[in-house]
Each structure stands twice: as C-alpha cells, then as structure tokens.
Amino acid sequence: MSISAGTYCCRVRISCGKLRLSSTLGSTLSSPVAPGHRASLLHSRATSSSGHRMQPKRVLLTNDDGPDSSFFQAWVRHVQDSLQWNGVVCIPSQQQSFVSKSISHGPLQVTNIDSKTMHVDGSPATCVNLALYSLVPDVDLVISGPNVGHNVGRASVLSSGTLGAAMEASLAHKKAIAISFPFNGWGSWTEEDIQTAVQMAGQVATQLWEEWQSGTVEADVFNVNVPLGFKTVEGTPVEPEILRTTVDMQSQYSSLYKATEGKSGAFEWAPKGLKPFDLPAPTAGGDVAAVKAGHVSISPLRTGFIQPESKP
C-alpha cells in the first residue's frame, strides 16, 4: 500500500454537543504540506449543473465489529437521517476484527434484517464484495466503520478488518472511507462522546466525498480516526483539529499468540506490541501523533504496493 503525504488542519469548536468548523477542509489537499503547518483552507463544494450539492447515489455501510458494535447504529442513523444519504448496510454477522482483507470462500449465508440491512457470515471484505457485485446495485461510496478503537500506525492499518473492507471496495473501483473511534479505555465514552464523534465523522465523510467529486484528491481510500471525547491518550480534553496525516511506519507487533496452559500444542490470541501510542517518538505528521494528541487524523491511501527503488 502506498501512502500519500500531506497535512492540513482546521479548528473545530464544540458547543452544546454540536460541531462548528471555523474553516473547511482544503481544495488542494493532495499537495504535501510540512507536518504541523497550519494551512489556509478554502474549499469549492462540488455541485451539479442545477446548483445542488452532489450526493452519493447509494452508500454501502459496513464494519468489522458486526451487529454488536457500540457505535454502528448511531452512525447508520446519522448517515440516513442527518446526511440524508441513501445508505444500505451489509455487515458481518459476528465480530471480525484483525482479519485485514481476508475473503471467506463460503458457502455464505445472507440474512435480511430489513429492507436496508443484511448480515453475512463472512469477513468484512467478503461483505463488500458480495454487496457490490450481488446484492446492492449502484453503490458509488463505501464507508467502513466506525471501528471500535483506533486504526493508526502501519501494523493496525495492514491488519484491520475495517481497512480491509475499504481496500476491497477500492479494488472494485469504488471510493472508500474507513472510520475508527479511538478511546481511552473500554466503556469510558459517554453517549454525548459518540454523538459528537458521529457528527464529526459525517462532516469529514461529506467533505471527502465532495473533494473526490471536484477532482482535487487522488486517494483511493481515506483512513479517518475520530477520538471519542477529543482527549489526549492521557485523558486531557483538547480543542480538536482535523489533520491530514501519513501512516506512522514505526508501528509493529511481535507474537500474536501464547501457549494455552494445560493443553499441549494449543495456542490462544494474545497479541504483543499492538500499542502504537507507547511509541517513544511518534512520527511528526503521522496518524499516531495526531490521535495521541486528541486530534482527528485523515490519512489518504492508495491500494497498491510501493515498488522499491533499484540500487545502482
């Protein structure tokens, strides 16, 4: 996967649970900007010939946390009711985290929950492929998430089922956004934190869609992290900024399993090293540094592999 460089920011003010952006995301976001630079952000909104703002024809909503996600239903309601986008849900029937872009061979069972909601006994990327080619016609935007927790740093980005679903959409030539809600501790968030994060994610998703339509950005996938409560990892509230970031390449992990006590040859899930916020010096301008400081991170990605330069 190749990663586009560049940084932008804008101030966000929160008043009475509502978001107020004092400036919008820039129209020249594909241009690199020095990390930490505060850019002047002017944006020309994409409109149709009739002067109306262009909306996606149909949006596919998926995740990797399945139906029991703490954040997904609030996000679906916001997309359908507040953004008034034509959203259709196709998600795994159970939790499928850390499976990257794995594809389930099947046979697969699709359960229709209602006219706009389907559950599939497969991976997130499987849900996307099945939906785009067999279940949901005319999709032009896929949004994966919000993930329960962060997706920052190389190890998480390459391993995330949320990102895997977005990458599968990109392979189908669809615009895709992966959204994650980092938090400071399981269950530490409030309902207001969720609603504020959902509003922020909706504004960011709308802005990114408009940038795609106006041709000002070449990213295949955007990886978006919106910290719940807009706090640093130490728990200090901040006035959040929206930052364009790169993926911090320092992030890694070691062993993912440990031997099961009392069972010869058995191992269980026990990942080590998956703590990007413990990096002693996160990369300046990177996603880890942004979210660690309580800010919104947006990393533009290309779904390809970087070819190494040949040595002379």
Side-chain angles (χ1 to χ4, degrees):
M1 177 184 294
S2 57
I3 303 166
S4 303
T7 304
Y8 69 84
C9 67
C10 71
R11 286 290 183 183
V12 181
R13 295 176 182 175
I14 304 175
S15 177
C16 299
K18 296 182 178 180
L19 298 174
R20 296 180 181 178
L21 275 71
S22 58
S23 59
T24 57
L25 310 189
S27 60
T28 57
L29 298 184
S30 59
S31 300
V33 181
H37 180 75
R38 298 177 181 273
S40 175
L41 301 173
L42 302 175
H43 179 70
S44 298
R45 294 191 179 276
T47 59
S48 66
S49 57
S50 62
H52 297 295
R53 288 174 59 182
M54 296 174 64
Q55 291 190 338
K57 289 181 297 184
R58 185 171 294 179
V59 182
L60 175 63
L61 304 173
T62 191
N63 72 4
D64 74 352
D65 291 300
D68 295 331
S69 165
S70 302
F71 312 137
F72 189 67
Q73 292 306 318
W75 170 242
V76 172
R77 287 193 297 270
H78 184 75
V79 169
Q80 296 177 338
D81 299 338
S82 298
L83 300 185
Q84 296 188 329
W85 286 357
N86 181 14
V88 178
V89 172
C90 187
I91 59 175
S93 55
Q94 59 186 356
Q95 203 255 19
Q96 292 268 353
S97 294
F98 215 74
V99 298
S100 189
K101 208 191 74 60
S102 64
I103 296 294
S104 306
H105 290 184
L108 302 171
Q109 179 63 49
V110 178
T111 303
N112 292 297
I113 306 303
D114 56 44
S115 61
K116 288 192 172 185
T117 304
M118 293 162 284
H119 294 175
V120 179
D121 59 344
S123 69
T126 299
C127 291
V128 170
N129 186 280
L130 190 62
L132 293 180
Y133 291 109
S134 303
L135 303 174
V136 186
D138 300 326
V139 167
D140 48 10
L141 176 63
V142 176
I143 303 180
S144 183
N147 187 65
V148 180
H150 74 81
N151 271 312
V152 295
R154 176 180 61 174
S156 292
V157 168
L158 290 175
S159 305
S160 164
T162 302
L163 266 295
M167 288 189 286
E168 182 67 24
S170 176
L171 289 180
H173 306 290
K174 305 297 182 182
K175 305 302 183 186
I177 302 172
I179 298 174
S180 300
F181 288 175
F183 50 81
N184 287 70
W186 181 260
S188 62
W189 57 80
T190 66
E191 184 61 31
E192 182 179 356
D193 290 338
I194 296 173
Q195 292 303 321
T196 302
V198 162
Q199 290 178 50
M200 171 66 82
Q203 292 190 29
V204 170
T206 299
Q207 196 75 42
L208 296 178
W209 170 254
E210 291 176 354
E211 289 173 14
W212 268 317
Q213 298 310 295
S214 61
T216 58
V217 66
E218 297 181 355
D220 299 325
V221 173
F222 281 104
N223 184 35
V224 178
N225 281 266
V226 181
L228 288 170
F230 300 117
K231 301 174 183 177
T232 68
V233 293
E234 292 81 17
T236 304
V238 300
E239 182 181 0
E241 298 173 359
I242 301 175
L243 302 175
R244 171 156 299 192
T245 57
T246 58
V247 174
D248 196 319
M249 302 301 283
Q250 299 181 77
S251 174
Q252 61 184 25
Y253 55 78
S254 55
S255 172
L256 296 176
Y257 308 95
K258 69 177 181 180
T260 301
E261 188 175 352
K263 292 185 178 181
S264 177
F267 291 81
E268 59 190 72
W269 181 250
K272 295 180 180 179
L274 279 170
K275 296 181 179 180
F277 302 120
D278 289 345
L279 288 173
T283 302
D287 52 0
V288 174
V291 173
K292 186 174 183 177
H295 301 308
V296 177
S297 167
I298 305 177
S299 297
L301 308 176
R302 303 303 297 266
T303 49
F305 290 98
I306 300 174
Q307 298 297 317
E309 295 183 4
S310 299
K311 295 183 179 180

